[in-house]
Amino acid sequence: MSNLSYLKPQPGSPWDTYLAQVDQVTPHLGPLAKWVETLKKPKRALIVDVPIELDNGTVAHFEGYRVQHNVSRGPGKGGVRYHPDVTLEEVMALSAWMTIKNAAVNIPYGGAKGGIRVDPKKLSPNELEKLTRRYTSEIGVIIGPTKDIPAPDVNTNGQIMAWMMDTYSANQGATVTGVVTGKPIELGGSLGRVKATGRGVFLTTREAARNMGLALDGARVIVQGFGNVGGVAAELLAQAGAKVVAIQDHTGSVKNDKGLDVPALQAHARKTGGVKGFAEAEAIGDEDFWGLPCDILVPAALEGQVDEKRAERVKAKLVVEGANGPVTKAGDKVFADRGITLVPDVIANSGGVIVSYFEWVQDFSSFFWGEDEINLRLEAIQLSAFRDIQRIAAEKKVSLRTAAYIIACQRVLQARAERGLYP
């Protein structure tokens, strides 16, 4: 066991939640449990200072991170987030969940994650570009198309990825499109990437509901988060006949018992910055949101949103984790005790990394697929993985989360065992 201070989790933190998940699955790993400590330590954690000159002429310093949790099955893969609450411990947990996610859907990546502790809304476009380029230069020693491939995450997007790709390419002396995914189409991005995570959430929700005998047509759905994940999932669920009755984002919570007009709400959010003030809905308290009668809850914002108290209030039959780690370990136990089915993040929101994998493959081959083909390939991989998880859950009489971890941890540790130790 290591005595490194950064490996000691704060109780209830994302890293603490992840470690508890690994401990829960260890009894199911058989001889591979010999290697389980591999999963409890990031392979590499880089902390960088990111200084930039602001528009007013002063110099500001920001703290950035890039963590590679495990690369036994392939290069690291995971997003970069810009948020004022980013910490090393959070990024470690997110990188570890990427290891599990990539193995659970059986794509040839390890897990990585990055972030900068910054409120990007307080930066001008010029300052944001400087921040991105300096951060990319600082982590450039450990990223690359065969080493670690960043992607968009919270508060980052295709433009950020374009700056990252250009900066890395300039330092390499050649255009390297495959160093990041989630890029604009014109720079080697993939069709279908922007909506991929939300589409994957929809696909797993539909499959889980069907398996439970829950009709999606007419089902009452509430969604936390209304960006590329929650917004797209809400849109596709509504198209499938579900009644999206409430949405919560960083600006507030709104509901309409007859069903929200999701496209109209999306237009309102684009115009005003959030769901607050939508004329065709009633404003409700943020805590009241969690107690609304519904069939399906999709938490698709940030980690740690559904603790024990909120889990006790939830009235859903099915919870689908659109965000990474939105349900705490205490919340997880409450849902299990109450008999509420939970589809874990490592399968539910894997659509983004699956299509990122497609983008990476297309960049290497310089041959690009149509959007219909990408969506079909996404559905085939995600639903095949989900059905495997359902099968293991039924065979071993464990939760879907534990089943996903059994499959993923076995794949990672089998690779670790076969590669051996060097020297």
Side-chain angles (χ1 to χ4, degrees), residues 19 55 88 93 119 122 124 134 157 190 196 205 208 214 222 231 245 290 295 301 306 310 320 331 350 389 423:
L19 292 177
D55 293 343
L88 175 60
D119 184 351
K122 294 182 178 178
S124 70
R134 182 59 186 252
N157 55 24
S190 177
T205 303
L214 174 61
I222 66 173
V245 295
W290 299 102
D295 298 300
V306 189
R310 285 178 174 172
V320 182
S350 61
I389 290 167

Side-chain angles (χ1 to χ4, degrees), residues 381-394:
I381 289 177
Q382 187 144 20
L383 293 189
S384 175
F386 184 55
R387 287 163 186 158
D388 285 344
I389 290 167
Q390 287 181 313
R391 176 178 54 79
I392 293 294

Side-chain angles (χ1 to χ4, degrees), residues 403-422:
Y405 271 70
I406 290 171
I407 290 173
C409 292
Q410 285 178 338
R411 285 173 177 161
V412 174
L413 298 182
Q414 187 66 43
R416 173 70 278 175
E418 290 177 356
R419 290 181 65 156
L421 294 175
Y422 171 82

Side-chain angles (χ1 to χ4, degrees), residues 216 218-226 230-248 254-263 265 278 280-281 289 292-294 296 298:
L216 206 54
R220 295 171 64 85
V221 179
I222 66 173
V223 181
Q224 186 200 32
F226 202 53
V232 172
E235 176 187 352
L236 294 174
L237 285 165
Q239 288 175 9
K243 190 180 295 185
V244 180
V245 295
I247 299 281
Q248 179 181 102
V254 296
K255 75 164 186 172
N256 185 327
D257 291 334
K258 295 181 180 179
L260 291 161
D261 184 336
V262 176
L265 183 55
F278 184 52
E280 299 173 36
F289 169 86
L292 291 173
C294 64
I296 300 169
V298 181

Side-chain angles (χ1 to χ4, degrees), residues 144-161:
T146 60
K147 295 194 291 186
D148 181 1
I149 306 105
D153 196 74
V154 176
N155 293 327
T156 56
N157 55 24
Q159 178 62 78
I160 301 290
M161 295 304 108

Side-chain angles (χ1 to χ4, degrees), residues 204-218:
T204 48
T205 303
R206 186 186 67 186
E207 185 73 7
R210 184 193 64 79
N211 194 57
M212 294 168 60
L214 174 61
L216 206 54
D217 190 14

